[in-house]
Amino acid sequence: MAKGIAVNIGLNFVNPAAYSGWNGELAGCINDARDMNQIATQLGYEATLLTDDQASASEVTRVIGQAARQLASGDICLVTYSGHGSQINDVTGDEPDGKDETWVLWDRQLLDDELNGLWSSFEAGVRIFVLSDSCHSGTVARMMSFQKKFKSAEFAAQYERRVNAPPRIRAADPAAVQANYLANRSNYEVSQWTHRASVNASVTLISGCQDNQLSSDGDANGLFTQRLKEVWNGGAFSGNYAQFHSAIVARMPSDQTPNLFRTGVANPAFEAEKPFTIGAGSAGGTATGGSLSISGPSSFANGPTPVTFAVSVPSGNYFAVEVATDASLFDSTANGAQRNDNNFYASWKVSPFRQGDSFMMPLDAWNRLRQGASKLYYRLWCTSSPTSWVNYRVTTTDSNAQAAPGVALVAQTQPGGGDTGLPAITAPTAFPANGSAPRFQVNPGAGRYYAVEVSTNSWYFTDQYSSQRNDDNFYGSWKVTPFESSALYPSAFVLPAAAWSRLRDHASNGRLYYRMWWTESPAQWVNYGCTTPNSSGQNAPSFALSREFDMDLLAQSGGK
């Protein structure tokens, strides 16, 4: 029988002695923790409530660490936090904004690196659900902006406070947390460098706002927790985690957008559950009735055309396909942590469940997996819902992963001439910032169309930070023109002058990042792929912006 452990944390105050006299006064955080503790207790969790001085960094670490020792595959840990959030300098270079997010606990801040270390101590197969009603962007400028907006009737009504009533936000006082940071700097840096283990559990986080936003505190609850309780509706809510997040977002003001983030090992069964569910979570459920099968050729040319599988699912059902370079990767508990975009593909990760009697691998996934592989293994999932894992089953279970069928990849003899390379986009290593717009060499492949994206930060190519895109930090040719086409490969794409002017002026680190999408339709996304997919967008190539007027670089860029 599955087990659930909950840790519910809430701080209306912090220790002034630890934060240069600042006590961090809030009103709704302990109520948030108590309310979440009540939900957990009613659902059968073993729940621990930590408030104010009980919520020291050592005690929070101890209680979560103890839960990790007690839980096994199929169990769930619920961790909720309500209080101030903040940021400190990231010394390891693994954060795109140069900051590590923190929870401001009674005596010191708990870093996201430390939380990652705690998640890594849980066994594979454990589900971890984290709710964080806090800010992570406590700057004076943002606080002043928030206070100005707060005075409008629209925002006062949304936050259920009187017009012109002073707002309370869950962003820590910058001077206080800076002093705390300096007092504990060596310990923080040790944590940043050492808490870097991989997470084998499956973690789902819903936070009260984006990293660059502020969370509102209320008299009874924080706004995020208040809206969460309304959506939960005493347990009447019946959707999955993504739907839970979307329903909360729909009730929030435009400047406070809760974030949904997952880390660790993907667990589709967990993602499909009703939030807070204890007795579920392990992949490999069963369904009854109807045929379920997937078949592919015994061998297939390792060339530019992706392999196609024949599929059969019960009438009215939907399917998803997984493909791996090693059959053992289908055992998510034992080997899920070894999966990456170059050895494992799951259609359910990137698109809705499907219907039909065939499935062609997307070109970008095909090109990644076939490189260096002698064989590709496959299996089929089916579900009775178009959006959730309901009555699901699979052709090859995790425990029988080595029995999965495979397709042998054989060398393809290329005809002379023509396009034989993979889709690609290239640019010189540097451009003069005061020169003409940069020119890229693009090769989507014969018969395909393409679009180019350029950004001031490669992390904007990832799902996690895509919501922070704007015209000053991101350009996508598909947003303003039809897909591009050329009879010659490679061809040239020139960044429009207006976009070039905006992006170069906002490139804070002196670089611009780029990637190319391709599609088989001039107007729609059909069998599309990307040179750097969202899942690894932070690794996109880039070029430096030279502030000196260099004629050689200018010539490379196509300028006159």
Side-chain angles (χ1 to χ4, degrees):
M1 181 176 179
K3 180 178 183 179
I5 294 178
V7 183
N8 308 114
I9 308 160
L11 295 95
N12 284 346
F13 294 93
V14 297
N15 183 2
Y19 295 94
S20 296
W22 176 71
N23 69 3
E25 181 179 2
L26 293 169
C29 300
I30 290 180
N31 287 339
D32 290 349
R34 287 172 176 164
D35 289 344
M36 298 311 302
N37 185 262
Q38 182 179 26
I39 290 174
T41 301
Q42 291 172 344
L43 292 173
Y45 285 81
E46 297 176 12
T48 299
L49 178 64
L50 300 174
T51 60
D52 285 352
D53 60 346
Q54 300 169 335
S56 64
S58 60
E59 184 64 5
V60 168
T61 300
R62 184 191 69 80
V63 173
I64 296 177
Q66 188 176 60
R69 293 290 187 92
Q70 296 174 354
L71 297 178
S73 179
D75 294 337
I76 186 169
C77 183
L78 169 66
V79 179
T80 69
Y81 172 76
S82 288
H84 285 291
S86 190
Q87 295 175 318
I88 68 170
N89 292 331
D90 166 41
V91 299
T92 64
D94 62 355
E95 297 284 355
D97 59 357
K99 300 289 184 180
D100 276 326
E101 279 67 50
T102 72
W103 287 349
V104 181
L105 299 180
W106 175 255
D107 55 339
R108 71 167 179 85
Q109 300 171 73
L110 191 69
L111 280 58
D112 55 8
D113 289 315
E114 294 177 281
L115 286 171
N116 184 78
L118 287 170
W119 309 148
S120 71
S121 65
F122 285 81
E123 288 187 11
V126 174
R127 295 160 291 146
I128 303 172
F129 181 28
V130 185
L131 292 166
S132 182
D133 193 345
S134 63
C135 300
H136 292 295
S137 57
T139 66
V140 172
R142 287 200 178 103
M143 290 179 180
M144 292 176 64
S145 174
F146 182 91
Q147 291 168 346
K148 182 177 180 180
K149 288 182 178 180
F150 197 93
K151 293 182 178 180
S152 71
E154 173 195 356
F155 278 84
Q158 178 68 51
Y159 288 104
E160 299 186 359
R161 301 287 299 282
R162 291 177 291 106
V163 175
N164 290 324
R168 283 193 303 269
I169 51 179
R170 293 182 173 181
D173 177 79
V177 294
Q178 176 67 7
N180 177 267
Y181 166 72
L182 293 175
N184 296 275
R185 182 171 182 172
S186 60
N187 291 331
Y188 287 142
E189 291 188 358
V190 168
S191 296
Q192 289 172 312
W193 283 111
T194 59
H195 290 84
R196 303 175 67 82
S198 60
V199 177
N200 295 322
S202 301
V203 185
T204 294
L205 164 70
I206 301 180
S207 61
C209 64
Q210 301 292 319
D211 286 349
N212 64 339
Q213 294 179 334
L214 303 176
S215 288
S216 171
D217 183 49
D219 295 327
N221 290 108
L223 182 64
F224 167 68
T225 300
Q226 177 181 323
R227 298 298 185 238
L228 180 152
K229 288 166 55 184
E230 292 170 2
V231 172
W232 179 245
N233 192 22
F237 178 81
S238 60
N240 59 28
Y241 282 92
Q243 292 164 337
F244 190 51
H245 167 255
S246 296
I248 297 169
V249 170
R251 293 171 177 258
M252 299 293 287
S254 59
D255 70 338
Q256 186 178 337
T257 308
N259 189 29
L260 173 64
F261 178 74
R262 296 186 177 96
T263 190
V265 175
N267 186 339
F270 176 28
E271 296 169 15
E273 292 168 4
K274 178 178 176 177
F276 308 110
T277 297
I278 293 178
S282 58
T286 60
T288 59
S291 63
L292 178 65
S293 66
I294 181 170
S295 61
S298 59
S299 63
F300 193 80
N302 189 352
T305 302
V307 65
T308 297
F309 302 97
V311 301
S312 176
V313 298
S315 177
N317 276 235
Y318 303 80
F319 73 83
V321 172
E322 292 179 344
V323 183
T325 59
D326 187 330
S328 66
L329 294 172
F330 292 142
D331 186 345
S332 59
T333 300
N335 301 308
Q338 308 305 314
R339 297 173 178 175
N340 59 55
D341 287 340
N342 295 322
N343 64 27
F344 182 82
Y345 166 79
S347 67
W348 50 264
K349 292 178 65 177
V350 293
S351 64
F353 298 122
R354 302 162 180 262
Q355 287 187 311
D357 56 9
S358 66
F359 175 82
M360 174 186 283
M361 279 192 71
L363 189 59
D364 61 330
W366 165 248
N367 283 333
R368 291 195 305 272
L369 267 64
R370 72 186 180 92
Q371 298 304 305
S374 60
K375 194 171 187 178
L376 295 181
Y377 301 85
Y378 56 90
R379 67 177 178 178
L380 177 77
W381 291 87
C382 83
T383 170
S384 58
S385 166
T387 57
S388 304
W389 296 93
V390 178
N391 296 323
Y392 58 91
R393 58 173 169 156
V394 66
T395 53
T396 303
T397 63
D398 285 25
S399 60
N400 197 34
Q402 294 293 352
V407 178
L409 299 182
V410 297
Q412 181 184 49
T413 301
Q414 297 284 0
D419 170 41
T420 61
L422 296 177
I425 180 171
T426 58
T429 57
F431 279 94
N434 56 353
S436 302
R439 180 185 300 267
F440 302 88
Q441 296 298 310
V442 295
N443 183 0
R448 302 191 193 107
Y449 303 82
Y450 69 89
V452 172
E453 292 179 345
V454 183
S455 179
T456 60
N457 192 320
S458 61
W459 283 89
Y460 294 134
F461 293 146
T462 68
D463 292 332
Q464 183 181 359
Y465 291 94
S466 62
S467 63
Q468 298 181 28
R469 298 173 180 173
N470 58 54
D471 287 343
D472 292 330
N473 64 34
F474 178 85
Y475 168 80
S477 66
W478 50 267
K479 294 175 64 176
V480 292
T481 62
F483 297 124
E484 305 280 351
S485 175
S486 176
L488 300 175
Y489 299 107
S491 185
F493 174 84
V494 180
L495 187 65
W500 166 235
S501 178
R502 292 194 304 270
L503 293 173
R504 68 184 179 185
D505 290 345
H506 291 83
S508 58
N509 68 348
R511 304 193 73 85
L512 290 180
Y513 301 81
Y514 59 91
R515 64 179 180 178
M516 180 190 73
W517 291 86
W518 64 87
T519 172
E520 295 181 2
S521 166
Q524 297 178 311
W525 298 96
V526 176
N527 292 328
Y528 59 89
C530 188
T531 53
T532 308
N534 291 7
S535 57
S536 55
Q538 69 273 19
N539 298 321
S542 65
F543 57 83
L545 297 178
S546 170
R547 299 296 171 180
E548 300 295 330
F549 194 89
D550 187 315
M551 292 305 296
D552 290 335
L553 290 176
L554 183 59
Q556 291 182 58
S557 73
K560 303 296 184 183

